[in-house]
Amino acid sequence: MEILISEEAIRARVVELGRAIEDEYRDRQLTIVAVLTGSLVFLADLMRQIRIPHRVGLYLASSYAGAVTEPGPELRIDRRFQPDVAGRDVLLLDDILDTGRTLGTLATGLREQGAASVRVAVLLRKLGRQVVPIEPDYVGFEIPDAFVVGYGLDFDDDYRHLPYIAVLDGRGQ
Ligand code: 5GP
Ligand code: MG
């Protein structure tokens, strides 16, 4: 596997994102709502770089079933761990913006539930793949159209533990 973004580069960028988010949300009612499972590592690192009080809620979403590198037709979302967002300033967090279906659907839902504001942060933005028009407010890195794993991102539930982002080759090696 080819390393695309090193552990050191991720660490430095997460600190920068944390500082920018801190500045924007000072004196506001911040709730981060993260999309599991892919954003687990990003969430854990980023929330410790946001040194202002904030709440955390979770969605469990999946569009990739099994050993595939293309999303299936169905987007499944489990909202059981989402906190009450009415009146809160929500930062919706995901590992990667690909087609935009996941974040587009969730951002619309959060606004309908009365969030005071909804902004979007992603570690990665894959270029040339977006079909749902959603503009992320915070982007860690823009990457080319390749299937990546590591730092929370999986292939068939493997590779999430890697501390860097790598490109998976055609055979899942
Ligand atoms: P979207 O709804 O934007 O098409 O897809 C977002 C979700 O697809 C992400 O949360 C992520 O779980 C998954 N995804 C998209 N591209 C990749 C990729 O290159 N690698 C992995 N592991 N997951 C991806
Ligand atoms: Mg995901």
Side-chain angles (χ1 to χ4, degrees):
M1 275 196 294
E2 175 207 345
I3 297 183
L4 189 64
I5 308 171
S6 70
E7 185 176 1
E8 294 72 25
I10 296 172
R11 191 180 302 124
R13 187 72 184 119
V14 168
V15 171
E16 288 176 359
L17 291 173
R19 295 298 165 272
I21 292 165
E22 248 174 35
D23 287 346
E24 177 165 348
Y25 287 96
R26 217 171 285 285
D27 304 319
R28 291 170 67 192
Q29 306 292 312
L30 174 60
T31 298
I32 297 175
V33 183
V35 186
L36 294 181
T37 306
S39 67
L40 179 68
V41 182
F42 183 37
L43 171 67
D45 284 349
L46 182 64
M47 60 191 283
R48 287 173 293 173
Q49 297 300 334
I50 301 174
R51 301 162 304 178
I52 56 171
H54 58 278
R55 298 180 184 170
V56 173
L58 303 168
Y59 288 122
L60 186 58
S62 59
S63 44
Y64 288 70
V68 294
T69 56
E70 281 297 322
E74 194 196 358
L75 171 63
R76 282 171 295 157
I77 299 172
D78 180 340
R79 294 181 164 80
R80 274 177 299 173
F81 306 109
Q82 184 199 316
D84 184 7
V85 294
R88 306 277 306 177
D89 292 301
V90 174
L91 183 63
L92 182 56
L93 191 84
D94 205 355
D95 49 0
I96 184 165
L97 175 65
D98 184 25
T99 67
R101 286 197 306 160
T102 307
L103 290 172
T105 303
L106 294 176
T108 302
L110 287 163
R111 290 196 181 93
E112 285 167 2
Q113 291 160 54
S117 66
V118 179
R119 288 182 173 257
V120 173
V122 290
L123 179 70
L124 307 174
R125 181 181 201 173
K126 207 187 278 189
L127 299 176
R129 294 261 309 170
Q130 213 170 323
V131 294
V132 174
I134 177 164
E135 226 9 76
D137 301 279
Y138 299 95
V139 176
F141 303 91
E142 293 188 334
I143 63 165
D145 183 3
F147 193 82
V148 293
V149 295
Y151 198 72
L153 291 103
D154 74 307
F155 172 71
D156 197 17
D157 263 327
D158 284 325
Y159 306 111
R160 294 192 197 278
H161 66 288
L162 299 176
Y164 47 78
I165 300 283
V167 177
L168 194 75
D169 83 10
R171 295 177 308 284
Q173 301 295 304

